[in-house]
């Protein structure tokens, strides 16, 4: 698909969804007036992250006092089935991230209520739900529709049907999804951010999510090296964060 075709298809997709008009307006501003916003402070934060980065295994041990090896062995069959489903999927989306970090954050907090932004195939959703199912918990997910491709039917594709009873999926931009989620449940045990990558988008969402994280809850943000939003947020709020290096990218995590 050419870039022009993709942009045109995306624009038509927005026009068909009046409920997405606010996000369309934000996208136009982000890609015109605020074009440089996505990478604001990137060099500063990559240097900062590199200096303090640890492995996923080290982070889980340090923060939660847990070892990560059991996750892959206990869920070997489920993870293998999910990987095959991703491989067979005709639409390509984001692959699995630091699944152990997410899973053990939920185990550490005995999570019953978790919110995540960004779903794609549903790898992070799967890791979360494998923990939540033990406590009849609920995962609230925010994920924009895939307007430029026929990918909507594959959102959450790797999540087994048996786990979906504890999952509520909101198909809007975060600025529309999160207020709807917070109206259903006000306090969360774990927050996982993996959606709008822009500096302004992150800062808005971090502030909103942090308000709804309980004391002792875990905050996780993927791809913090894209810009300095995560670093700036932590410094503004005097948060001592752990940085995880995973497959060449940086993840931020802290306990409130």
């Amino acid at each position: 698909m050419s870039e022009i075709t993709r942009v045109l298809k995306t624009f038509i997709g927005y026009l068909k969804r009046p409920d997405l008009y606010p996000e369309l307006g934000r996208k136009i501003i982000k890609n015109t007036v605020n074009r440089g916003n996505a990478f604001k402070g990137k060099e500063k934060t990559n240097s900062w992250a590199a200096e303090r980065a640890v492995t996923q295994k080290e982070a889980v041990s340090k923060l939660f006092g847990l070892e990560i090896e059991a996750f892959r062995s206990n869920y070997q069959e489920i993870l293998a089935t999910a990987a095959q489903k991703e491989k067979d999927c005709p639409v390509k989306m984001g692959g699995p991230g630091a699944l152990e970090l997410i899973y053990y954050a939920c185990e550490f907090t005995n999570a019953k209520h978790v919110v995540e932004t960004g779903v794609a195939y549903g790898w992070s959703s799967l890791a979360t739900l494998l923990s939540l199912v033990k406590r009849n918990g609920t995962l609230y997910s925010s994920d924009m529709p895939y307007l430029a491709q026929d990918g909507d039917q594959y959102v959450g594709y790797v999540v087994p049907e048996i786990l979906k009873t504890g999952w509520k999926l909101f198909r809007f931009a975060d600025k529309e999804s999160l207020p709807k989620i917070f109206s259903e449940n006000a306090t969360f045990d774990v927050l996982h951010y993996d959606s709008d990558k822009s500096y302004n988008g992150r800062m808005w969402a971090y502030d909103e999510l942090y308000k709804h994280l309980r004391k002792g809850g875990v905050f996780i943000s993927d791809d913090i090296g894209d810009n300095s939003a995560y670093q700036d947020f932590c410094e503004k709020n005097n948060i001592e964060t752990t940085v995880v290096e995973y497959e060449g990218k940086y993840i931020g995590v802290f306990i409130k």
Side-chain angles (χ1 to χ4, degrees):
M1 184 188 298
S2 71
E3 182 64 13
I4 293 175
T5 302
R6 186 191 68 79
V7 171
L8 182 60
K9 192 170 183 179
T10 299
F11 185 68
I12 292 172
Y14 272 112
L15 292 181
K16 291 179 178 178
R17 291 280 304 272
D19 55 330
L20 296 178
Y21 286 179
E23 178 63 10
L24 174 59
R26 291 190 291 265
K27 288 280 188 187
I28 292 171
I29 293 172
K30 184 166 70 174
N31 289 301
T32 54
V33 179
N34 291 334
R35 247 184 115 70
N37 187 258
F39 306 108
K40 179 181 177 181
K42 179 180 174 73
E43 186 175 342
K44 173 188 78 169
T45 287
N46 274 275
S47 176
W48 170 84
E51 289 175 359
R52 64 196 64 218
V54 299
T55 66
Q56 182 179 208
K57 177 181 173 67
E58 290 170 328
V60 171
S61 176
K62 169 191 166 186
L63 291 170
F64 312 143
L66 300 168
E67 298 300 320
I68 68 173
E69 287 76 17
F71 177 76
R72 296 283 168 178
S73 57
N74 290 347
Y75 299 113
Q76 182 177 5
E77 187 175 337
I78 291 172
L79 294 171
T81 299
Q84 188 60 51
K85 290 197 74 173
E86 178 187 331
K87 184 178 178 182
D88 295 340
C89 185
V91 174
K92 297 307 172 189
M93 296 184 270
L99 303 184
E100 286 90 339
L101 182 65
I102 297 167
Y103 174 81
Y104 285 109
C106 295
E107 291 292 281
F108 170 74
T109 58
N110 287 310
K112 291 185 178 179
H113 301 99
V114 176
V115 61
E116 68 171 354
T117 68
V119 177
Y121 287 124
W123 280 106
S124 59
S125 312
L126 172 59
T128 302
L129 289 165
L130 285 171
S131 178
L132 286 176
V133 71
K134 302 175 186 178
R135 295 172 290 277
N136 295 315
T138 303
L139 170 63
Y140 300 79
S141 301
S142 168
D143 196 59
M144 268 288 291
Y146 284 73
L147 300 175
Q149 56 182 321
D150 300 319
D152 273 356
Q153 61 185 308
Y154 300 110
V155 169
Y157 195 51
V158 304
V159 179
E161 288 298 322
I162 195 170
L163 293 178
K164 290 183 179 179
T165 55
W167 191 20
K168 295 188 176 184
L169 182 56
F170 296 74
R171 301 306 312 280
F172 308 95
D174 291 343
K175 285 197 174 180
E176 282 68 55
S177 287
L178 289 179
K180 295 177 189 295
I181 290 171
F182 297 149
S183 71
E184 291 200 17
N185 191 78
T187 307
F188 292 85
D189 304 297
V190 176
L191 306 175
H192 178 222
Y193 186 87
D194 189 21
S195 50
D196 185 349
K197 307 299 185 184
S198 71
Y199 183 94
N200 288 348
R202 286 177 183 271
M203 290 301 280
W204 176 85
Y206 289 162
D207 282 335
E208 290 301 308
L209 291 166
Y210 189 69
K211 293 175 192 173
H212 294 272
L213 181 65
R214 71 166 173 84
K215 185 69 174 175
V218 177
F219 190 113
I220 302 171
S221 178
D222 282 5
D223 303 319
I224 63 170
D226 290 345
N227 50 53
S228 65
Y230 183 80
Q231 180 186 359
D232 293 348
F233 171 79
C234 289
E235 291 176 352
K236 181 182 76 172
N237 291 284
N238 296 312
I239 293 167
E240 185 174 336
T241 184
T242 296
V243 175
V244 177
E245 191 279 327
Y246 185 81
E247 295 186 346
K249 295 183 178 182
Y250 297 113
I251 301 164
V253 53
F254 64 82
I255 300 170
K256 187 174 182 180

